[in-house]
Amino acid sequence: MFKNIIVTGGAGFIGSNFVHYVVKNHPDVFVTVLDKLTYAGNKENLAGLPSDRVKLVVGDICDKELVDELVQKADAVVHYAAESHNDNSLLNPEPFIQTNIVGTSVLISACAKYDVRFHHISTDEVYGDLPLRDDLPGHGEGPGEKFTPDMRYNPSSPYSSSKASSDLLVRAWVRSFGLRATISNCSNNYGPYQHIEKFIPRQITNILSGIRPKLYGTGKNVRDWIHTNDHSSAVWKILTEGKIGETYLIGADGEKNNKEVLELILKLMGQPSDAYDQVRDRPGHDLRYAIDSSKLRNELGWEPRYTNFEEGLQSTIDWYTNHRDWWEAQKTAVEAKYAKNGQ
Ligand SMILES: NC(=O)c1ccc[n+]([C@@H]2O[C@H](COP(=O)([O-])OP(=O)(O)OC[C@H]3O[C@@H](n4cnc5c(N)ncnc54)[C@H](O)[C@@H]3O)[C@@H](O)[C@H]2O)c1
């Protein structure tokens, strides 16, 4: 089994939650986090983790020499590092192409060279979007009405197209260079350590800061929410038991539209249900995401554990309430950027 793993992007939201998960559940594993600490990375996300279990290397996944040096000493690489925010990709796609595509190619080339196991973290957004349930004959439960691993890629934004490109590179490296890799495409995550530019933490920290929450358009867009701890357990399952060359979709049947999520946050934080502003919608805003995770459940026996969304949301609200020092310094700048964009 793996003793020495590299987690790229392990100081970001989902990557750091994965590092915490590994430290807690797999005592024999040493984790090297490779993270550039962009605006989205924060070494505080790893605070308190023992130094004999986790080491942070601040560096860029596009740095071939550094990647070569680290990969040759590792048993596996779990690749989370990415530019991850759709809105940023609409303002400036270039870093998305550099990190998400070029960076992935650097990592998989090194892993192929040293025959190191690679797991690629991707998103369900590579499939584009689905019609709303009411507009479908099977109301979202018929064949082809959720994302499945063999569905055609149809990304909408510079972010999702750069992730789609990286998935295709991984598939080609498996076929052409014998890379021992798996891919997972996950739906929208929520939980602690998520940057406050993202939908759920933005609304929570707006309320905590006395700013009215903001809803894009009418809020009808549906996301399939999964707690980040369930994402972590699924990734570990795929890393250790997944079949090389396969793609697994990770989801927890958590479809909710943005208006429902915002109204639930308002309720849990003791606010009136209409205490928010509607703002300019995101151009090309995907309508609905929904994951069919039956392959992962049936073939690898994975199940999500954090399926009560209201409870998960309450604990996320509690985390942001109790960690003001983690986010407060960034709040003004994040909201100013949105305001400039009419959002
Ligand atoms: N957030 C979601 O809901 C979601 C859903 C499905 C998949 N994903 C995927 O999960 C991964 C992590 O997403 P996240 O939301 O935690 O992102 P995030 O933006 O919170 O974290 C990304 C991390 O990568 C680091 N990074 C960026 N560029 C780098 C580079 N060139 N070299 C090294 N490190 C670099 C950043 O410093 C940061 O720590 C991404 O690949 C994303 O596509 C995210």
Side-chain angles (χ1 to χ4, degrees):
M1 204 31 70
F2 306 117
K3 294 272 186 227
N4 254 307
I5 67 171
I6 295 173
V7 176
T8 72
F13 163 44
I14 311 181
S16 66
N17 276 289
F18 180 73
V19 176
H20 282 269
Y21 172 87
V22 172
V23 169
K24 186 167 166 209
N25 296 292
H26 301 286
D28 296 337
V29 179
F30 183 84
V31 181
T32 302
V33 171
L34 172 58
D35 199 297
K36 190 178 169 183
L37 298 182
T38 66
Y39 79 97
N42 185 345
K43 57 178 191 291
E44 288 306 311
N45 296 2
L46 304 169
L49 293 174
S51 58
D52 60 342
R53 301 288 316 281
V54 180
K55 179 174 126 193
L56 170 64
V57 176
V58 180
D60 193 328
I61 57 166
C62 301
D63 180 340
K64 283 186 192 164
E65 252 175 59
L66 175 64
V67 166
D68 197 87
E69 183 194 321
L70 295 175
V71 166
Q72 59 181 292
K73 292 183 268 180
D75 307 318
V77 173
V78 185
H79 175 35
Y80 288 91
E83 287 292 336
S84 69
H85 191 37
N86 263 307
D87 290 332
N88 291 343
S89 81
L90 297 167
L91 295 172
N92 179 16
E94 206 279 329
F96 289 74
I97 290 159
Q98 190 59 26
T99 287
N100 300 0
I101 305 178
V102 176
T104 299
S105 82
V106 170
L107 289 166
I108 56 181
S109 297
C111 287
K113 179 174 166 191
Y114 295 108
D115 191 26
V116 169
R117 174 80 169 86
F118 184 81
H119 180 69
H120 183 60
I121 305 294
S122 193
T123 166
D124 60 353
E125 299 185 30
V126 298
Y127 296 109
D129 62 354
L130 297 161
L132 294 178
R133 281 177 172 265
D134 286 349
D135 299 331
L136 286 164
H139 297 287
E141 298 301 335
E145 294 183 358
K146 288 183 174 185
F147 297 138
T148 50
D150 51 2
M151 215 171 226
R152 184 171 74 91
Y153 274 26
N154 190 25
S156 316
S157 73
Y159 164 63
S160 51
S161 57
S162 67
K163 292 297 292 185
S165 308
S166 65
D167 293 9
L168 297 183
L169 290 176
V170 175
R171 289 185 190 182
W173 258 243
V174 170
R175 175 102 185 239
S176 300
F177 303 118
L179 177 71
R180 290 186 293 123
T182 40
I183 298 175
S184 55
N185 299 78
C186 189
S187 57
N188 283 63
N189 284 223
Y190 73 101
Y193 302 111
Q194 186 168 29
H195 195 280
I196 57 166
E197 68 185 355
K198 300 282 170 62
F199 178 64
I200 288 179
R202 183 180 181 210
Q203 312 310 334
I204 295 170
T205 56
N206 270 11
I207 295 170
L208 291 172
S209 308
I211 302 168
R212 278 168 75 85
K214 307 283 184 258
L215 186 68
Y216 283 0
T218 58
K220 65 183 176 190
N221 307 67
V222 173
R223 300 293 173 259
D224 189 354
W225 292 100
I226 181 172
H227 194 280
T228 189
N229 289 347
D230 282 330
H231 190 179
S232 294
S233 67
V235 167
W236 185 262
K237 191 84 173 164
I238 298 165
L239 177 70
T240 53
E241 296 176 37
K243 204 169 146 210
I244 297 303
E246 293 291 313
T247 290
Y248 298 89
L249 302 197
I250 306 173
D253 299 326
E255 279 179 69
K256 299 238 171 317
N257 74 36
N258 289 346
K259 185 163 175 281
E260 286 174 285
V261 174
L262 178 51
E263 285 173 353
L264 185 53
I265 293 172
L266 287 162
K267 183 183 118 186
L268 294 173
M269 296 183 75
Q271 305 289 312
S273 63
D274 60 353
Y276 62 86
D277 297 328
Q278 281 180 305
V279 294
R280 195 175 78 88
D281 206 350
R282 171 188 292 161
H285 201 175
D286 283 343
L287 209 45
R288 173 173 159 261
Y289 303 137
I291 289 266
D292 175 352
S293 59
S294 52
K295 175 174 169 180
L296 174 61
R297 294 175 193 234
N298 298 339
E299 292 182 14
L300 302 187
W302 173 83
E303 288 292 335
R305 288 182 49 201
Y306 300 83
T307 47
N308 184 326
F309 184 67
E310 186 162 335
E311 263 176 41
L313 200 54
Q314 181 64 62
S315 67
T316 306
I317 292 168
D318 293 344
W319 191 86
Y320 284 91
T321 307
N322 297 327
H323 291 82
R324 290 187 88 110
D325 53 335
W326 184 87
W327 57 266
E328 215 157 24
Q330 298 166 30
K331 188 66 187 166
T332 307
V334 169
E335 286 311 306
K337 191 167 165 194
Y338 274 118
K340 211 168 138 196
N341 217 21
Q343 295 171 321

